[in-house]
Amino acid sequence: MLDWAGIPPDESPCRGGPRGPYVQSLRLELYRGASAALLESGAAYRCFCTPRRLELLRREALRCQHTPRYDNRCRHLTPAEVAQKLSQGLDCVVRFRLEKGVEPFQDLVYGWNKHEVAEVEGDPVILKGDGFPTYHLANVVDDHYMGITHVLRGTEWLTSTSKHLLLYKAFGWEPPQFGHLPLLLNKDGGKLSKRQGDIFLERFVQDGFLPEALLDIVTNCGSGFAEKQMGRTLEELISQFEIGRITTHSALLDLEMLPEFNRIHLTRHIENEGLRQRLVRELQELVKHVYGDQQADPEVLEKQYVERVLLLRKGHISLLKNLVSSDYSYLWVRPSVSRQQLQMISTEADEIGKLVLGPLLALRLLAHKIQSPQEREALHALTVLETCVNNCGDRFHSEIAKFRFLNELIKVLSPKYYGTWSSDKVKLRVTEVIFSWTVWFPQEVKIRDAYQMLKKQGIVKEDPKLPEDKILPPPSPRPQNSIFDTDEEKSKEQEKSAQVSRRLNAISEVSENVRHMDELLEKYRRQELSSADQDTLQALFQRCEKLRPLLFRLASEAVADDEVLAEILQANDKLTRALGQYRQVVSHQENGDGGGSSSGSACVPVCPPAPRRMRSYTLMDFSELEATAQTPTAPSADTPSASRHGSTTSLCLLEEEFQSLGLSNSPVVQKPPPNFGLAEPTVCNEYSEAVSAVQTLGPQESWEDSCAGKSEFQGLNEELSPLSRTKTFSFQEFPVLADLCNVPLNPLAFAPSFKLQAVLLQGPKDTCSISPLTVYDRNGFKAMLHFSRDPAPGRPDVLVMVLSMLSTSAHPIKDIAFQAAVPKTMKIKLQPASGSELPAFSPLLPPMVVSQVLLLTNPHKDPIQLRYKLVFTQGMQPFSEVGELTGFPEAELWNRS
């Protein structure tokens, strides 16, 4: 098996040699002569103890919980007693006399060692009664007569080495150098044993593993090399091995990695012309054995065909027998499909690829080939890619400019993915391709961003200098019969026509339903509506509810056309008015208020008997809100009417909106105006946006009541708690029209002077100019404390802060928890965080953010000292950070009000 493994011995029973014989049974005379020399010098003696006596000694030692050992009884026999026993024909063995005072020796791996074997062992047997030696005598005699200079063996023989050195000393021979190697263990830490049938070399040969792979994995899991490396050849192992690098730690043999080692060496065999011919013959025999009775085409066994199969699947198979598995049966068994049927199917597939999936599937296949570990295959794929860019039209250009494909090219360059084993020639070619695209496709921002990201990370040091003949030429005019652009203009026109048709149908349906609902509501007020018409009215109401999200989607599609957008908004106003009238009229009738509604009652909202949370698609413009609110005061009889917020007109406008939301007849309570200064920062496309969260106190609460309650922050908690529940949108994906369907609306959340109107959402508000404080910045995880532009409404002594946490780490961050404490003269309240997890950072996506609102009251305006504890898990490692924040901008924080 050593010959199979490629490490044949210099001398062996098969090869012969000058120091033979090499079979132990043919060297018995040599062992008898050596033992006779020891007997003559007195270093050994004959032992006549029977096996029964030795067994009794062993049992007695075990009963006394001692280590079994020979008691050296026969050591003290006189020559006369020995002669008498020999004359009686008694069986005997030869034992070596162990002496105290063993000299230390230097092991090549374990260093200086010394074992007083005479104190823990009895005299060992060196020659058995049948004339065969034990290992102790045989290895000493054989190593001496064969001229062995270095002995490398398992560490289990380390304690016996002192015994062997005593034998060398008794013979008067010079001992070799000893080195004891650490054991090779199973993956679970158990010792490899010949009793395990699956570790015999014959088993690996039968399974089809290459000897180079087996030798590679054994040396790779051990030590003796500067670094671990897969795929080393025997010559590389010899040149890189250093005995001084062997460690004393046992090595774990992970046989689950053996297929990967075999894949690497099998690829080398396929690339080598001589070795490939041997693989061709082996594969032919395997095909005959597995598919012999199914073959109808002898061409599959031809040498050229089998060799082509090997070259095509090079790098994709781990064992040669993988090619005869069921997954590759199509290579050897021809399908039972006629050529005419096959041609028809291929034609249909080509047409489908041209019309729908052509560019996507082509780039997916090219990306797979570019990432191939074979340099020639990757370079060829890059050449095909440049050809496709020149000839496949705009649809192909739009696909290569997406992060989905650019990310596959970046993997070839990044050391975190395939950059460690991709060749320099392939990486240089990929860099040239991406750089050339930045030149010839300047309008594609994603290509430029991807290339700049490579330069920022240091993967690309400088722009490649491309010769004129290698620079990708600008895209040629699209040919009349472009591969992927067939019928593209026609499909765009059809899609545009479909959008116009959907919009016209939706607006027409809204107008018809609103007109019909107005007629039925008028009859309902006069109590002239029949039961059938009541069912029709209910069905119209439900249909109008479903039309509201449809109008929102149509408005999102028509952002670029102001006239179309105005038409859609007008239809939405009609729909909102009709739904509001339905709720008002029906609720009046159900409460027994009679039919008809006067102008005076229109200004008084009617509260339905069972108010429910409605999904509202009403579009609001916060930029038109009038900031006419004043500081709230407790209602009393002396309060003048002029102190109330807004006017009767604005009240009516507000009530009209409340009625459209299903909210009416609620008493108007004076409350402070909504605070738009609180903003939760989000990061998207490398810039920060602010999304305002608006909510006020309930009808039965006031600022004075909340301050006098159990907690100083009870009112603030109820006012600001929706911030943690409000959905935060990315402005890249946020439509121009704000969808507020998921925001819980409160009829008292706005001052009476605020007019709600469905218009365009304006840009984000200005952020606070106070510089934030860094709480934590380590290992790609950063937490910063931002300060609100304004204090809490009606509470200038309450500071509002937002803790934002983001990650640029390659590992996900989970179980994020933040705790804070301040001196006794202050109080702090933490709102629930927007989340507790951050995904792993992707260079092609904007980072996610977790935010948390903190409320701090500081009546005496003392210097702020905030102690915190930040706990999180990064990857698999938990972290707990405790610290103290100082250096708050006191003057800017407390002098703003």
Side-chain angles (χ1 to χ4, degrees):
M1 296 310 296
L2 291 176
D3 292 328
W4 170 83
I7 46 175
D10 296 331
E11 302 176 30
S12 69
C14 298
R15 289 176 174 265
R19 303 179 188 274
Y22 298 95
V23 179
Q24 195 175 69
S25 60
L26 301 179
R27 301 170 64 89
L28 295 182
E29 290 298 328
L30 191 63
Y31 304 135
R32 292 193 187 100
S35 63
L38 293 177
L39 288 172
E40 184 178 354
S41 65
Y45 61 90
R46 287 186 171 87
C47 175
F48 298 92
C49 294
T50 62
R52 178 176 176 79
R53 181 179 184 277
L54 297 176
E55 177 63 20
L56 291 176
L57 285 175
R58 189 185 68 82
R59 291 183 179 181
E60 180 64 18
L62 293 176
R63 187 182 68 82
C64 298
Q65 298 183 352
H66 295 159
T67 303
R69 55 180 293 184
Y70 179 57
D71 59 358
N72 300 339
R73 175 182 178 182
C74 294
R75 173 191 278 206
H76 308 291
L77 293 176
T78 62
E81 291 173 334
V82 172
Q84 180 182 1
K85 292 180 179 294
L86 289 175
S87 62
Q88 294 175 358
L90 297 178
D91 295 333
C92 67
V93 297
V94 177
R95 291 183 180 270
F96 179 67
R97 193 186 301 271
L98 295 178
E99 302 293 345
K100 296 182 180 180
V102 175
E103 297 180 358
F105 68 96
Q106 187 175 16
D107 190 86
L108 296 175
V109 177
Y110 286 84
W112 288 99
N113 273 269
K114 176 183 177 182
H115 300 279
E116 290 288 352
V117 290
E119 296 181 358
V120 295
E121 298 182 26
D123 294 336
V125 175
I126 57 175
L127 191 69
K128 295 182 287 187
D130 57 1
F132 277 82
T134 61
Y135 174 78
H136 302 299
L137 178 64
N139 91 88
V140 171
V141 173
D142 290 342
D143 290 348
H144 172 70
Y145 285 107
M146 291 183 181
I148 301 299
T149 59
H150 292 76
V151 176
L152 299 178
R153 57 188 181 185
T155 185
E156 66 267 26
W157 292 105
L158 182 61
T159 57
S160 298
T161 305
S162 296
K163 190 186 310 179
H164 300 158
L165 291 175
L166 289 175
L167 279 169
Y168 276 103
K169 183 178 180 181
F171 283 120
W173 297 337
E174 183 69 23
Q177 285 187 281
F178 287 93
H180 292 82
L181 307 178
L183 298 179
L184 197 62
L185 305 178
N186 289 318
K187 185 179 179 181
D188 58 359
K191 184 179 179 182
L192 289 178
S193 173
K194 62 183 179 182
R195 296 178 179 85
Q196 297 175 265
D198 58 348
I199 68 167
F200 284 96
L201 290 180
E202 288 81 357
R203 175 249 176 180
F204 298 105
V205 175
Q206 182 180 358
D207 289 345
F209 289 100
L210 297 174
E212 296 90 341
L214 196 62
L215 186 63
D216 191 11
I217 191 175
V218 171
T219 54
N220 190 74
C221 70
S223 54
F225 301 91
E227 59 181 358
K228 292 185 180 297
Q229 177 185 345
M230 298 175 63
R232 282 185 289 221
T233 63
L234 181 60
E235 292 75 14
E236 293 173 338
L237 291 173
I238 295 174
S239 62
Q240 297 177 16
F241 176 76
E242 297 180 21
I243 196 170
R245 293 185 179 273
I246 299 179
T247 65
T248 59
H249 304 292
S250 298
L252 299 180
L253 180 61
D254 186 4
L255 291 177
E256 294 180 358
M257 290 293 297
L258 184 57
E260 178 61 20
F261 280 86
N262 202 75
R263 183 189 67 81
I264 296 174
H265 289 279
L266 181 60
T267 301
R268 290 179 177 174
H269 278 224
I270 295 176
E271 293 173 346
N272 184 281
E273 179 67 26
L275 297 177
R276 184 168 65 244
Q277 300 307 317
R278 181 175 61 84
L279 293 177
V280 168
R281 293 190 294 270
E282 293 181 7
L283 184 55
Q284 288 174 332
E285 294 299 324
L286 285 173
V287 174
K288 291 179 183 179
H289 177 71
V290 177
Y291 297 104
D293 56 343
Q294 304 179 37
Q295 291 176 0
D297 192 347
E299 294 180 359
V300 298
L301 291 178
E302 292 182 358
K303 174 185 174 183
Q304 292 80 2
Y305 178 81
V306 176
E307 187 173 8
R308 184 184 176 194
V309 169
L310 284 173
L311 292 172
L312 286 175
R313 300 314 300 161
K314 175 184 62 177
H316 298 277
I317 56 174
S318 300
L319 296 168
L320 193 63
K321 67 179 183 180
N322 293 152
L323 289 175
V324 295
S325 64
S326 58
D327 294 338
Y328 292 100
S329 60
Y330 64 90
L331 293 173
W332 319 111
V333 180
R334 297 301 187 189
S336 57
V337 180
S338 65
R339 292 188 177 274
Q340 184 178 1
Q341 293 174 326
L342 186 62
Q343 182 66 29
M344 185 182 302
I345 295 173
S346 300
T347 303
E348 294 177 358
D350 291 341
E351 292 298 327
I352 294 174
K354 292 177 182 179
L355 295 176
V356 182
L357 301 176
L360 180 61
L361 295 179
L363 287 175
R364 187 180 301 173
L365 178 61
L366 285 173
H368 176 70
K369 295 295 183 182
I370 292 172
Q371 295 170 356
S372 171
Q374 306 303 319
E375 181 180 290
R376 178 184 296 179
E377 183 177 12
L379 294 175
H380 180 71
L382 287 167
T383 303
V384 175
L385 174 62
E386 293 184 353
T387 305
C388 291
V389 171
N390 286 334
N391 298 280
C392 293
D394 293 338
R395 286 186 61 195
F396 196 88
H397 298 164
S398 64
E399 287 295 330
I400 65 171
K402 293 180 179 179
F403 283 138
R404 177 172 52 198
F405 178 70
L406 293 173
N407 193 36
E408 299 301 321
L409 295 182
I410 292 173
K411 288 181 179 180
V412 180
L413 304 175
S414 174
K416 294 182 179 180
Y417 295 94
Y418 313 130
T420 55
W421 50 266
S422 295
S423 66
D424 294 337
K425 187 179 294 184
V426 172
K427 289 191 285 188
L428 177 60
R429 187 71 178 278
V430 171
T431 305
E432 292 175 350
V433 167
I434 299 178
F435 175 69
S436 64
W437 289 351
T438 63
V439 175
W440 296 112
F441 300 109
Q443 73 280 6
E444 299 294 349
V445 179
K446 294 181 180 179
I447 296 179
R448 184 174 68 252
D449 291 346
Y451 185 73
Q452 292 300 326
M453 183 269 296
L454 291 174
K455 296 185 70 175
K456 289 180 181 179
Q457 294 186 355
I459 298 177
V460 176
K461 304 297 183 182
E462 58 182 357
D463 295 338
K465 297 180 180 179
L466 303 176
E468 291 296 332
D469 58 342
K470 282 192 175 182
I471 295 182
L472 181 67
S476 57
R478 188 179 66 180
Q480 295 296 328
N481 55 348
S482 177
I483 298 177
F484 296 126
D485 290 346
T486 306
D487 295 335
E488 181 180 3
E489 296 295 333
K490 183 178 179 181
S491 62
K492 289 183 178 180
E493 293 178 0
Q494 292 176 351
E495 183 179 357
K496 186 176 181 180
S497 300
Q499 290 180 358
V500 173
S501 178
R502 286 197 304 269
R503 184 180 73 250
L504 295 177
N505 292 337
I507 294 176
S508 176
E509 184 178 1
V510 167
S511 301
E512 182 64 25
N513 288 345
V514 169
R515 183 189 61 79
H516 196 188
M517 184 180 289
D518 289 341
E519 295 175 357
L520 294 178
L521 286 176
E522 185 63 28
K523 293 182 180 180
Y524 189 85
R525 292 189 184 97
R526 298 196 299 266
Q527 299 182 355
E528 298 176 358
L529 203 63
S530 62
S531 59
D533 289 339
Q534 289 181 5
D535 295 339
T536 303
L537 181 60
Q538 180 67 21
L540 280 174
F541 173 76
Q542 294 176 356
R543 177 55 185 165
C544 289
E545 282 284 353
K546 294 180 180 179
L547 285 174
R548 301 173 76 181
L550 175 60
L551 289 178
F552 177 79
R553 289 195 296 270
L554 292 174
S556 301
E557 295 174 356
V559 170
D561 195 335
D562 294 340
E563 294 182 0
V564 174
L565 185 60
E567 186 180 3
I568 296 174
L569 291 176
Q570 186 178 3
N572 182 72
D573 291 341
K574 293 180 181 179
L575 194 62
T576 302
R577 179 188 56 79
L579 293 175
Q581 288 182 358
Y582 173 85
R583 295 190 185 96
Q584 182 182 14
V585 173
V586 173
S587 62
H588 274 230
Q589 295 290 342
E590 292 177 354
N591 290 336
D593 293 341
S597 61
S598 62
S599 60
S601 63
C603 295
V604 181
V606 178
C607 182
R612 60 190 180 92
R613 188 173 176 178
M614 304 297 296
R615 289 177 56 86
S616 175
Y617 293 88
T618 305
L619 310 176
M620 296 181 292
D621 180 9
F622 294 116
S623 64
E624 294 186 1
L625 296 179
E626 300 175 8
T628 60
Q630 302 174 5
T631 304
T633 59
S636 64
D638 299 332
T639 304
S641 59
S643 64
R644 298 188 178 276
H645 303 287
S647 63
T648 305
T649 304
S650 60
L651 273 174
C652 294
L653 292 174
L654 178 64
E655 297 305 333
E656 181 180 344
E657 291 296 334
F658 288 163
Q659 292 167 9
S660 68
L661 298 175
L663 304 169
S664 59
N665 277 351
S666 295
V668 179
V669 181
Q670 298 180 23
K671 293 294 167 183
N675 178 23
F676 293 92
L678 295 178
E680 179 178 356
T682 61
V683 178
C684 180
N685 291 343
E686 299 183 359
Y687 67 90
S688 175
E689 301 288 0
V691 181
S692 297
V694 183
Q695 185 79 0
T696 61
L697 298 174
Q700 303 300 326
E701 298 176 280
S702 66
W703 281 108
E704 290 75 17
D705 296 337
S706 64
C707 294
K710 295 181 180 180
S711 172
E712 187 171 0
F713 293 106
Q714 182 178 358
L716 289 176
N717 185 27
E718 295 178 2
E719 178 174 359
L720 298 175
S721 59
L723 179 59
S724 62
R725 300 192 300 267
T726 302
K727 183 176 180 181
T728 302
F729 294 90
S730 171
F731 273 80
Q732 182 184 13
E733 302 174 356
F734 200 88
V736 176
L737 297 176
D739 182 6
L740 302 179
C741 60
N742 293 323
V743 179
L745 296 178
N746 189 322
L748 300 177
F750 307 97
S753 61
F754 294 165
K755 178 181 177 181
L756 307 180
Q757 186 177 3
V759 293
L760 295 178
L761 178 69
Q762 302 299 321
K765 306 298 181 184
D766 295 334
T767 57
C768 180
S769 60
I770 302 178
S771 300
L773 293 180
T774 300
V775 179
Y776 182 85
D777 189 2
R778 200 175 305 158
N779 300 327
F781 181 45
K782 188 171 186 178
M784 300 187 68
L785 195 62
H786 303 263
F787 304 99
S788 172
R789 179 179 54 189
D790 301 318
R795 291 296 303 274
D797 61 327
V798 175
L799 174 64
V800 182
M801 300 175 288
V802 178
L803 176 71
S804 61
M805 293 169 279
L806 60 90
S807 171
T808 58
S809 171
H811 302 284
I813 298 179
K814 301 180 180 180
D815 305 326
I816 302 174
F818 181 79
Q819 299 175 350
V822 293
K824 293 183 179 180
T825 58
M826 311 175 194
K827 292 184 181 180
I828 190 168
K829 175 74 173 182
L830 275 68
Q831 299 294 311
S834 61
S836 61
E837 296 184 2
L838 288 171
F841 175 72
S842 172
L844 303 181
L845 297 175
M848 301 294 293
V849 174
V850 171
S851 58
Q852 188 171 9
V853 175
L854 288 77
L855 305 176
L856 174 68
T857 179
N858 186 6
H860 305 292
K861 298 186 179 180
D862 295 333
I864 302 175
Q865 293 181 346
L866 188 144
R867 299 190 64 185
Y868 67 89
K869 180 178 182 181
L870 180 61
V871 181
F872 59 92
T873 301
Q874 188 170 12
M876 300 299 293
Q877 183 177 1
F879 288 89
S880 179
E881 178 75 11
V882 178
E884 181 175 348
L885 277 181
T886 57
F888 285 76
E890 312 287 347
E892 299 181 37
L893 293 176
W894 303 117
N895 294 334
R896 289 177 296 171
S897 58

